Amino acid sequence: MNPSIHITNRRTAEAVARTLRERNRAGAFLSIHGTDEETPDLSTPGGSSCYLCFDDVEDDTVPGCTPMSNAQATLAANFLEDLAASNPTTLIVHCSAGISRSAGVAAAIHDTLGWPVANARDNDVFRDGKFAPNMHCYRTMLRALGGNVTQEELDALWQAAVESADET
């Protein structure tokens, strides 16, 4: 059975990790923090965490900001492969706000590995107005997981995200 993905913000991920430590339980986290942020403590007894550091940008044209790299996506893909072997029930994917970078990464995991996104309407991050997936993160993570998408498909996904945001 595939683990369910929960997209959240940093504060909630840290609170979950704290609670798991207090209860001596394991947790699985894919942590994304910006280059101007400290790495959060998501350690849990027997748990697994993958820490990525990049900014919420689509490319490297924003001075002082770093987009997700292929190396970081590969690191996350390797983490997910190892994690799947341990049969976790839940994977928490977080970024600062739990809206863009984490949503893009979670959508790629869902689309390639089939893991459900528990807190997205119908498992569809792009059609759930509370998320605004970072398309660079989605595309980069998708490729690292062996998936592919055309520019037309990316445009359609982004349009769905824009339309769902307009509905809220």
Side-chain angles (χ1 to χ4, degrees):
M1 181 172 189
N2 290 332
S4 62
I5 302 168
H6 291 266
I7 303 168
T8 192
N9 60 47
R10 178 186 176 123
R11 189 181 67 188
T12 300
E14 289 174 319
V16 168
R18 242 186 334 273
T19 300
L20 290 172
R21 283 193 298 272
E22 290 167 3
R23 295 180 181 173
N24 201 31
R25 293 183 54 202
F29 298 88
L30 201 160
S31 174
I32 303 166
H33 65 281
T35 57
D36 62 343
E37 298 175 297
E38 295 292 322
T39 303
D41 178 11
L42 301 176
S43 60
T44 61
S48 301
S49 297
C50 176
Y51 297 94
L52 306 176
C53 181
F54 59 89
D55 298 307
D56 193 5
V57 292
E58 295 286 333
D59 55 39
D60 59 3
T61 61
V62 180
C65 292
T66 304
M68 181 182 209
S69 69
N70 292 329
Q72 290 171 320
T74 299
L75 178 70
N78 292 339
F79 166 76
L80 294 168
E81 182 179 334
D82 293 344
L83 182 66
S86 69
N87 296 316
T89 57
T90 302
L91 170 65
I92 295 174
V93 180
H94 90 85
C95 61
S96 298
I99 295 171
S100 183
R101 291 171 289 176
S102 55
V105 168
I109 296 167
H110 170 72
D111 289 353
T112 55
L113 302 180
W115 298 6
V117 182
N119 58 333
R121 183 179 57 214
D122 298 325
N123 286 305
D124 193 340
V125 173
F126 290 100
R127 297 192 190 285
D128 189 322
K130 68 181 170 268
F131 301 113
N134 179 306
M135 297 305 286
H136 174 75
C137 293
Y138 175 74
R139 188 175 51 251
T140 305
M141 194 70 221
L142 194 73
R143 285 189 202 122
L145 292 168
N148 201 0
V149 65
T150 66
Q151 186 60 49
E152 293 78 26
E153 291 167 322
L154 281 174
D155 292 345
L157 288 170
W158 181 247
Q159 188 58 40
V162 168
E163 288 171 3
S164 71
D166 289 343
E167 294 170 7
T168 57

